[in-house]
């Protein structure tokens, strides 16, 4: 079995995955949403200290599996340096004490492999990854060959949901709050720009839209003076603009890509409004759409363990004294393939 650890942001999670059957046999995640909510976003130092409490508590529950372990896997990039280090320190310690190989896992590849936790893998695939840190379209040929076809030139989809919620004083994480509020709103009330609408660039951009939301909040007299209906209408109008932006750029990619299987992964892939829009787009272009079960859309160690199964097969091990976090901006933006 492989023990996997995830601590790249505000979720402390450990999973145990069976190598022979590829089945997930243990999985637990402790989220810190409540603790960060009053700040409207993740406070790295606080997140790090919360991991230091949560990870050992979860690890204790995995003791019965210790004598069956063949490897330790851990997210080493991209993410917050101080939180990644919590998971890595635990993984290194386990690898040395139990004399097991160590598998570093790229968090975004983990998100892609979240699709295969409960299902056979379907490759090749075109993947839209929409998380709190990234917005990318990736062509996944196989485990070794992945290519970024489009990426955000500024903010990510998840971040734009979080900031929109923060501007209206809704709390954190913004994605589920905006999605729920949008159900009660009029998506045509606020006229928001569709990012890069007239640009030939096959890329994403969310910062201009975020600024447009800020101006609408100000026009309503600030968050204190917004009515519930104002907030619902702005949530719906914002979500519609994000959807139209994603669809417009995805259409261009779909038109060029012969690969028939398409998937959406990452925290924001839990959004039903966006999922439904993509289901229609896939029908239009003759693609088959895949999503991970809701439990594995946001950060979790099960997806890290699933990726680690394939890495184990290929003996992609790193000595404990050589594993490190990778946090430079350039490396975080890319997939390091
Ligand atoms: O993948 P994830 O758990 O963490 C990163 O790798 O960044 O994604 C978290 C992000 C947050 O920004 C959160 O607001 C967003 O996913 N999110 C959503 C929804 N649920 C979570 N965004 C839009 N709609 C949702 N229903
Ligand atoms: Zn993530």
């Amino acid at each position: 079995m492989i023990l996997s650890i995830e601590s790249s942001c505000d979720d402390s999670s450990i999973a145990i995955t069976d190598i022979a059957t590829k089945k997930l046999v243990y999985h637990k995640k402790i989220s810190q949403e409540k603790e960060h909510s009053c700040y409207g976003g993740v406070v790295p130092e606080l997140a790090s200290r919360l991991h230091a409490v949560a990870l050992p508590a979860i690890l204790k529950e995995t003791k019965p599996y210790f004598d069956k372990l063949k490897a330790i896997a851990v997210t080493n990039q991209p993410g917050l340096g101080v939180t990644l280090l919590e998971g890595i320190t635990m993984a290194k310690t386990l690898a040395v004490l139990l004399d097991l190989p160590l598998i570093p896992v790229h968090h975004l590849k983990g998100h892609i492999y979240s699709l295969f936790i409960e299902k056979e893998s379907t490759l090749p695939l075109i993947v839209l990854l929409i998380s709190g840190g990234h917005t990318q379209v990736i062509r996944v040929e196989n485990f070794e060959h992945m290519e970024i076809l489009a990426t955000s030139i500024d903010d990510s989809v998840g971040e734009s949901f979080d900031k929109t919620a923060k501007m209206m004083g809704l709390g954190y994480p913004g994605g589920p709050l905006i999605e729920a509020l949008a159900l009660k709103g009029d998506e045509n009330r606020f006229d928001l720009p569709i990012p890069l609408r007239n640009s030939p660039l096959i890329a994403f951009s969310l910062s201009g839209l975020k600024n447009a939301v800020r101006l609408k909040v100000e026009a309503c007299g600030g968050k204190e003076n917004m009515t519930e209906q104002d907030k619902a209408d702005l949530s719906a109008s914002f979500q519609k603009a994000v959807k139209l932006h994603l669809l417009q750029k995805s259409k261009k990619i779909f038109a060029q890509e012969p690969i028939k299987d398409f998937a959406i992964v990452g925290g924001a892939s839990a959004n039903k409004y966006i999922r439904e829009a993509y289901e229609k787009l896939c029908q239009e272009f003759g693609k088959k759409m895949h999503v991970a079960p809701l439990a594995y859309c946001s950060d979790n160690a099960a997806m890290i363990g699933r990726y680690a199964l394939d890495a184990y097969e290929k003996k992609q091990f790193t000595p404990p004294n050589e594993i490190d976090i990778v946090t430079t901006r350039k490396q975080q933006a890319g997939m390091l393939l």
Side-chain angles (χ1 to χ4, degrees), residues 8 107-108 111 131-132 267 297-299 303:
S8 65
H107 181 79
L108 302 187
H111 273 302
S131 70
C297 289
S298 58
D299 293 348
M303 67 188 195

Side-chain angles (χ1 to χ4, degrees), residues 8-11 29 107-108 111 130-134 156-159 161-162 172-176 179 239 266-272 274 297-299 303:
S8 65
C9 191
D10 60 341
D11 295 294
K29 151 168 154 169
H107 181 79
L108 302 187
H111 273 302
I130 40 177
S131 70
H134 295 80
S156 70
V157 166
E159 208 238 327
F161 272 84
D162 293 338
Y172 171 85
E179 184 183 8
Q239 193 174 244
S269 73
N271 187 296
K272 289 202 189 72
I274 293 177
C297 289
S298 58
D299 293 348
M303 67 188 195

